Amino acid sequence: MRVLFVTSEAYPLVKTGGLGDVSFALPNALRVLGVDVRLLLPGYPAVLRQLSLVEVHEDIRLYPLQEPVRLLVGTMPGGLTPVYVIDCPDLYVREGGPYQAPDGSDWYDNELRFGLLSKVAALFGNHSLLFKPDIIHCNDWPTGLVPAFLRFIPQPRARCVMSIHNMAYQGIFGPEVVELFGLPPESFSMFGLEYHGQVSFLKAGLFYADWITTVSPTYAKEIQSLKYGCGLEGLLSERRENLSGIVNGIDMVAWNPESDPFLSRHYGVKNLPVKVRNTQALRARLKLPPSKKAPLLGLISRLTEQKGIDLLLPIIPEIVKTGTQLAILGSGDKALEEELQQLAKLYPKLISVSIGYDEALSHQIEAGADMFLMPSRFEPCGLNQMYSMRYGTIPIVRCTGGLADTVVDASPVNLRSKTATGFVFEGESSGELLSCVQRALGLFRQKSVWRSLQLSAMSRDFSWEKSAREYVALYQRLLG
Ligand code: ADP
Ligand code: GLC
């Protein structure tokens, strides 16, 4: 089976969040199962710099671009997955992120950057290039036009899966996109890619894909509702027979406390007491005073509305009042960044806030913290709660999306049956979050119960294998 996995980011080349991790780990897991999966990525500077690439197609002329583009090929770091790279310097070679300029504003030509990605994917899909995939696996709005392009070309063509990692980003542009990319005028309708008079890349993907997946079963249900559907709940609910949730796995090599290169001391279920050395090292690195008793809570996140940081802010004084410390790493919304920094100034011995993106520190927080906070308002899957459980760092999460599907609450019943792996709260208020944190802090003092909770969390299997098998079964179903 041949699959083209189309994505706008892939760790370790370029990553802004969980999609980057998934785009690295899922293709690797699919290859282990014998799928010939290859990636397609835009040629950002970081991609061109890190890969050694050779040309496979020159002179691909794609309306509306003035200049022809080239298609290059290399291999993902780790040596497993081939990756096709679109070389179009005018669109991709500039400093900044995949979606945004260095000042944090969206690129002025994102419809071209990702319209081109989609158009090249569609060339693969109609078997005009060397690699002829049976399945095109699209991810999020930057690849949303692929199913639309494929719908309007003659058979045979690849079947098309659209995976939603986040409904909150939709890629909405002016109606001129239809003509710009040579899509038929009839596509610009309610029964197509039109969305309130604009073109929605995400809606195009959801409307035209042969199958829609999202990254957890609970999120698959949630997005059919007004609260979580971000305006597309009607379409999703109409397509519910072709929509399923497959929970993400984690990269068991990159996120392994027994061999993680970013840690000062390795540990696992057999020598869990060594974890505390990482706590000491983390406090030292963050200039938090040492403490034998005080718990340390970690948080690593894009700082956006999604992540529920605003639920946490008002209760931080209450949490740290008892000596509990906080280690926070994140970047995003400037107002949230500032508020967090203010709190760190106010409580320098209790709160450390690192603004920015820091892969090493993220591993050190996962290993060093006692608990990990994820009060997300919505969370399609979430990876950090799974990293946390693997590292014996007990997650405190809101009951939504993938958090609800992967964390088992430490209720008395679940503690007794040794199935508990974390703390889960319902509701959406600071008060409910605070009670949940207090429940966790209470249990933290009961050392043997806590140890057993950590061991249950660490023993859970979050590897990609099971989910990768579900994707293979889906591809097979689509191919009949
Ligand atoms: P999302 O994709 O919504 O951001 P996920 O939980 O799926 O959420 O994945 C987030 C990924 O990004 C994790 O690997 C996490 O460790 C990483 N991450 C987020 N913010 C930072 C940061 N400031 N520094 C380092 N890694 C980060
Ligand atoms: C998104 C979601 C996150 C998910 C990730 C990978 O960015 O916000 O919950 O884990 O994609 O699927």
Side-chain angles (χ1 to χ4, degrees):
M1 193 189 303
R2 293 176 301 264
V3 177
L4 185 74
F5 193 90
V6 190
T7 183
S8 50
E9 54 181 278
Y11 174 86
L13 305 174
V14 47
K15 161 174 160 183
T16 69
L19 174 60
D21 296 84
V22 172
S23 301
F24 177 72
L26 173 57
N28 283 348
L30 289 169
R31 288 198 86 78
V32 172
L33 298 178
V35 178
D36 180 3
V37 51
R38 307 186 186 186
L39 254 65
L40 176 66
L41 266 176
Y44 312 118
V47 172
L48 301 177
R49 208 169 41 234
Q50 291 176 69
L51 293 179
S52 77
L53 293 161
V54 294
E55 186 177 278
V56 274
H57 287 280
E58 54 171 346
D59 208 25
I60 304 180
R61 287 175 189 272
L62 286 175
Y63 186 76
L65 298 179
Q66 309 286 332
E67 298 294 319
V69 302
R70 293 194 308 155
L71 195 66
L72 313 174
V73 72
T75 308
M76 283 297 281
L80 275 178
T81 311
V83 48
Y84 293 103
V85 173
I86 305 168
D87 186 28
C88 179
D90 281 355
L91 288 184
Y92 301 134
V93 177
R94 35 177 108 143
E95 285 318 309
Y99 320 107
Q100 293 174 333
D103 68 0
S105 64
D106 287 348
W107 286 117
Y108 57 91
D109 55 356
N110 270 342
E111 72 278 36
L112 281 177
R113 286 162 68 81
F114 299 113
L116 176 66
L117 173 65
S118 300
K119 192 126 190 182
V120 174
L123 284 183
F124 278 100
N126 72 11
H127 297 171
S128 322
L129 301 175
L130 226 53
F131 178 61
K132 301 185 178 12
D134 307 300
I135 297 279
I136 306 257
H137 191 147
C138 304
N139 294 279
D140 274 351
W141 75 265
T143 61
L145 289 190
V146 184
F149 289 136
L150 286 181
R151 177 58 61 98
F152 297 104
I153 57 164
Q155 302 276 1
R157 59 160 177 93
R159 310 289 284 163
C160 195
V161 175
M162 181 80 217
S163 284
I164 308 169
H165 299 263
N166 202 322
M167 288 295 301
Y169 305 99
Q170 306 194 346
I172 296 187
F173 303 100
E176 65 282 359
V177 165
V178 174
E179 209 188 316
L180 192 65
F181 280 105
L183 282 158
E186 68 264 28
S187 65
F188 191 66
S189 111
M190 198 176 136
F191 303 102
L193 44 72
E194 184 266 346
Y195 185 70
H196 299 290
Q198 307 271 88
V199 166
S200 161
F201 274 40
L202 183 62
K203 187 181 170 212
L206 301 180
F207 188 85
Y208 290 113
D210 294 306
W211 194 271
I212 304 166
T213 70
T214 184
V215 286
S216 68
T218 295
Y219 194 60
K221 283 197 210 101
E222 286 174 339
I223 55 179
Q224 297 175 46
S225 72
L226 186 65
K227 179 163 180 204
Y228 294 95
C230 301
L232 294 172
E233 57 279 355
L235 171 59
L236 286 163
S237 137
E238 258 164 51
R239 295 219 60 195
R240 63 185 175 277
E241 301 298 322
N242 302 92
L243 162 67
S244 55
I246 302 178
V247 80
N248 288 332
I250 62 173
D251 185 324
M252 300 292 274
V253 178
W255 293 94
N256 181 358
E258 290 179 358
S259 54
D260 188 329
F262 296 115
L263 303 190
S264 51
R265 294 299 294 268
H266 292 136
Y267 66 96
V269 281
K270 290 202 193 79
N271 59 344
L272 183 51
V274 175
K275 178 171 163 60
V276 73
R277 302 280 188 87
N278 291 287
T279 312
Q280 290 159 355
L282 180 63
R283 284 196 169 105
R285 170 169 179 181
L286 300 177
K287 302 197 172 58
L288 290 170
S291 163
K292 283 224 164 75
K293 283 222 177 90
L296 178 58
L297 271 54
L299 185 151
I300 304 161
S301 184
R302 290 185 293 114
L303 301 175
T304 63
E305 154 101 21
Q306 171 188 350
K307 302 294 180 177
I309 312 294
D310 54 315
L311 298 183
L312 180 66
L313 284 167
I315 57 170
I316 285 183
E318 190 67 28
I319 294 176
V320 299
K321 183 165 98 180
T322 50
T324 300
Q325 294 172 322
L326 287 176
I328 297 174
L329 165 64
S331 66
D333 185 301
K334 296 292 165 233
L336 290 173
E337 288 182 356
E338 258 162 47
E339 279 190 71
L340 287 168
Q341 281 170 319
Q342 287 300 333
L343 282 162
K345 262 193 213 135
L346 208 59
Y347 303 99
K349 295 195 167 139
L350 295 167
I351 304 178
S352 153
V353 171
S354 313
I355 299 296
Y357 186 91
D358 188 332
E359 193 72 29
L361 181 57
S362 75
H363 286 247
Q364 289 153 3
I365 292 177
E366 285 292 3
D370 297 297
M371 297 164 221
F372 193 91
L373 292 163
M374 280 182 94
S376 309
R377 290 181 185 281
F378 69 93
E379 196 61 79
C381 180
L383 298 172
N384 285 101
Q385 81 280 15
M386 295 191 269
Y387 301 151
S388 298
M389 288 184 265
R390 184 124 205 260
Y391 282 62
T393 303
I394 301 303
I396 298 173
V397 305
R398 199 173 95 75
C399 188
T400 183
L403 300 175
D405 290 338
T406 55
V407 181
V408 181
D409 183 58
S411 66
V413 177
N414 293 338
L415 280 171
R416 241 177 282 125
S417 61
K418 297 206 185 305
T419 51
T421 58
F423 294 85
V424 183
F425 69 99
E426 308 272 344
E428 209 172 316
S429 68
S430 297
E432 283 149 310
L433 170 58
L434 180 62
S435 335
C436 190
V437 172
Q438 284 166 337
R439 189 154 64 88
L441 295 175
L443 209 70
F444 181 73
R445 288 190 284 271
Q446 302 180 36
K447 287 298 161 208
S448 67
V449 185
W450 192 262
R451 182 57 43 96
S452 139
L453 179 61
Q454 285 178 298
L455 292 174
S456 308
M458 293 171 84
S459 315
R460 286 283 301 271
D461 179 7
F462 293 114
S463 64
W464 264 103
E465 198 193 320
K466 185 171 163 284
S467 310
R469 281 186 198 286
E470 288 184 52
Y471 281 108
V472 173
L474 167 64
Y475 301 154
Q476 275 163 346
R477 258 199 333 272
L478 289 176
L479 294 173

